[in-house]
Amino acid sequence: MTGPGPVLWLAGMVRRAGRLGGVLTIDASILEAIVAHARRDHPDEACGLVAGPVGSDTPTRLIPMVNAERSMTFYRFDDREYLRVAREMDDRDEEPIVIYHSHTATEAYPSRTDVSYAGWPQAHYLLVSTRAPDVTEVRSYRIVDGVVTEEPVRLLNAKPDAVQRYMFGHTPVLVEYDCPA
């Protein structure tokens, strides 16, 4: 197998919702930046999104956002910042591929509030738990019509220690590295 670099598969539960894919594929450098943002904003929840070309389901550009609530238990994008980002994405023919935020005292699972505010059924909802200083829990979900479905995370260009550095879902079932020959 050949490819752009190491590939790491970390699995959760999969259920396809219509045309939506059941896997979040994301570059390790973007995930590391999301985790760094979550750690930096702790004890408040961090939030942001990762944009990508419209219709591609490929997250390429990290956009950390300000949590307008500055809260340990709730996040909300700043309205003006979001309007600016939305216009920028439109100008670049992008859309939100990943919406992320952190939980500072609980597991990386969407709360009832998270589910009620999930307004992009095509997006991956990535949660990072910063409750433990030495363990980073990362999980991805699809939230469609109030139904939360965990999905696997496919980590591109991952270092071999990614499995030890992050806890993806409850049980990583398959780890696959794609290394150039």
Side-chain angles (χ1 to χ4, degrees):
M1 297 172 80
T2 62
V7 174
L8 175 63
W9 279 89
L10 299 147
M13 301 302 292
V14 179
R15 187 190 87 191
R16 296 191 184 278
R19 65 177 179 78
L20 301 176
V23 176
L24 168 60
T25 301
I26 190 167
D27 192 271
S29 64
I30 294 173
L31 180 64
E32 289 168 9
I34 290 170
V35 170
H37 180 202
R39 292 279 178 207
R40 188 171 53 250
D41 281 11
H42 187 88
D44 291 339
E45 288 193 4
C47 60
L49 53 89
V50 186
V54 172
S56 71
D57 199 38
T58 303
T60 56
R61 187 169 65 95
L62 176 67
I63 307 170
M65 307 271 292
V66 171
N67 179 352
E69 299 298 322
R70 300 197 193 290
S71 169
M72 296 169 50
T73 58
F74 184 72
Y75 83 96
R76 180 177 59 83
F77 295 150
D78 176 80
D79 293 336
R80 287 185 182 157
E81 181 183 30
Y82 180 72
L83 181 59
R84 178 188 56 78
V85 167
R87 288 178 176 156
E88 186 179 281
M89 285 189 297
D90 189 50
D91 290 345
R92 296 171 66 134
D93 293 322
E94 294 175 327
E95 65 183 347
I97 306 295
V98 176
I99 290 101
Y100 74 87
H101 75 281
S102 60
H103 283 183
T104 62
T106 60
E107 69 176 321
Y109 188 85
S111 68
R112 286 183 298 220
T113 303
D114 295 338
V115 173
S116 71
Y117 282 105
W120 293 286
Q122 75 280 10
H124 303 269
Y125 287 86
L126 186 76
L127 275 82
V128 176
S129 176
T130 58
R131 64 183 168 170
D134 54 344
V135 175
T136 302
E137 180 184 353
V138 178
R139 295 169 75 182
S140 183
Y141 304 90
R142 291 294 185 141
I143 304 174
V144 179
D145 297 327
V147 177
V148 177
T149 304
E150 187 169 7
E151 64 184 352
V153 175
R154 181 177 185 229
L155 197 57
L156 301 175
N157 301 310
K159 296 176 183 163
D161 69 342
V163 172
Q164 287 77 34
R165 287 188 293 138
Y166 302 121
M167 184 172 85
F168 291 88
H170 289 294
T171 54
V173 207
L174 173 65
V175 178
E176 176 184 307
Y177 294 96
D178 181 7
C179 302

